[in-house]
Amino acid sequence: AQKITQTQPGMFVQEKEAVTLDCTYDTSDPSYGLFWYKQPSSGEMIFLIYQGSYDQQNATEGRYSLNFQKARKSANLVISASQLGDSAMYFCAMREQATDKLIFGTGTRLQVFP
Amino acid sequence: NAGVTQTPKFRILKIGQSMTLQCTQDMNHNYMYWYRQDPGMGLKLIYYSVGAGITDKGEVPNGYNVSRSTTEDFPLRLELAAPSQTSVYFCASSSPAGVQPQHFGDGTRLSIL
């Protein structure tokens, strides 16, 4: 069965520093997609970044990058130059290619302090 | 462009009451989903639909029903509300496959008392 694991319930980082949020996954499908979403205290789900299983390069979107290590089945999110507004819950998710369903991890709460 | 719209945003129900959570999208997406998020947890899939007239169960379908008569709308029905259904409900939509993410509505916060 497909599964997403986020082992860090909470993380702290100082403003302007980089932080890595861990995500490991388990699947037997050769084709899959990995997503990161941000959920601020207001509750909405904000898409951050996507990595396809066949992508050769790590995905980047502005200050967000995805450290994709396929052999280790990990897809860690790296946030560079943290800002106070980055304080939120972060969810890693994997998409089943056949149905487009997303399987979510339990999330990591990131707190950025001055 | 409204995206995915959910109504209502908040609702309090008494045990045993029924209600329908509305979800509509204007992006012409074929795929639509309902998730629930319990406090401190990730999202769990309740039901999904790959097109009008086609629905299927997700991970936690018990106590819910859905229908998909049009591409735009995907309502979620709660029958005989129970305290265990207190949660935040998210509707989402997407295009089939590809690199496009699921687009989420802002959620409905539902309390069963």
Side-chain angles (χ1 to χ4, degrees):
Chain A
Q2 298 188 332
K3 186 177 180 181
I4 291 284
T5 302
Q6 295 180 255
T7 58
Q8 305 158 313
M11 291 284 286
F12 289 89
V13 65
Q14 190 166 30
E15 198 176 8
K16 300 181 184 178
E17 297 294 312
V19 63
T20 298
L21 306 184
D22 294 341
C23 173
T24 58
Y25 61 92
D26 189 18
T27 181
S28 57
D29 292 338
S31 178
Y32 50 89
L34 296 159
F35 296 81
W36 278 90
Y37 282 85
K38 173 184 178 181
Q39 187 177 44
S41 58
S42 50
E44 70 269 29
M45 296 291 287
I46 301 169
F47 165 69
L48 295 178
I49 196 166
Y50 167 83
Q51 180 83 44
S53 58
Y54 294 119
D55 293 344
Q56 295 297 313
Q57 293 187 329
N58 288 340
T60 61
E61 289 286 348
R63 294 186 299 111
Y64 304 109
S65 60
L66 202 152
N67 184 1
F68 182 47
Q69 299 187 45
K70 194 170 183 177
R72 302 177 74 175
K73 294 189 175 181
S74 73
N76 298 339
L77 177 69
V78 181
I79 305 174
S80 62
S82 296
Q83 302 172 355
L84 295 178
D86 293 335
S87 295
M89 282 289 288
Y90 289 81
F91 291 98
C92 180
M94 178 169 58
R95 178 169 63 195
E96 293 183 356
Q97 293 299 99
T99 63
D100 223 38
K101 291 190 290 185
L102 284 180
I103 300 167
F104 283 84
T106 53
T108 296
R109 181 171 297 281
L110 177 66
Q111 295 190 54
V112 181
F113 60 93
Chain B
N1 192 348
V4 179
T5 302
Q6 292 183 236
T7 56
K9 294 189 183 303
F10 305 94
R11 184 73 183 267
I12 298 174
L13 283 182
K14 294 181 179 180
I15 295 171
Q17 288 185 320
S18 301
M19 77 163 294
T20 298
L21 280 65
Q22 301 292 343
C23 176
T24 187
Q25 53 93 7
D26 61 0
M27 297 172 282
N28 202 33
H29 285 164
N30 288 335
Y31 291 9
M32 294 188 74
Y33 313 83
W34 275 105
Y35 296 91
R36 61 176 286 173
Q37 184 180 26
D38 297 331
M41 302 296 290
L43 279 67
K44 293 186 177 181
L45 184 64
I46 305 171
Y47 271 95
Y48 68 101
S49 169
V50 299
I54 306 170
T55 62
D56 205 350
K57 296 178 180 179
E59 184 182 0
V60 289
N62 292 342
Y64 307 94
N65 280 300
V66 293
S67 60
R68 184 95 182 271
S69 57
T70 67
T71 299
E72 296 78 18
D73 300 307
F74 191 39
L76 177 71
R77 178 80 176 167
L78 276 73
E79 305 282 1
L80 298 175
S84 61
Q85 294 177 304
T86 294
S87 191
V88 180
Y89 292 83
F90 288 96
C91 179
S93 72
S94 67
S95 299
V99 304
Q100 297 303 314
Q102 289 187 9
H103 297 260
F104 283 81
D106 289 340
T108 294
R109 188 175 297 274
L110 181 63
S111 296
I112 315 295
L113 303 177

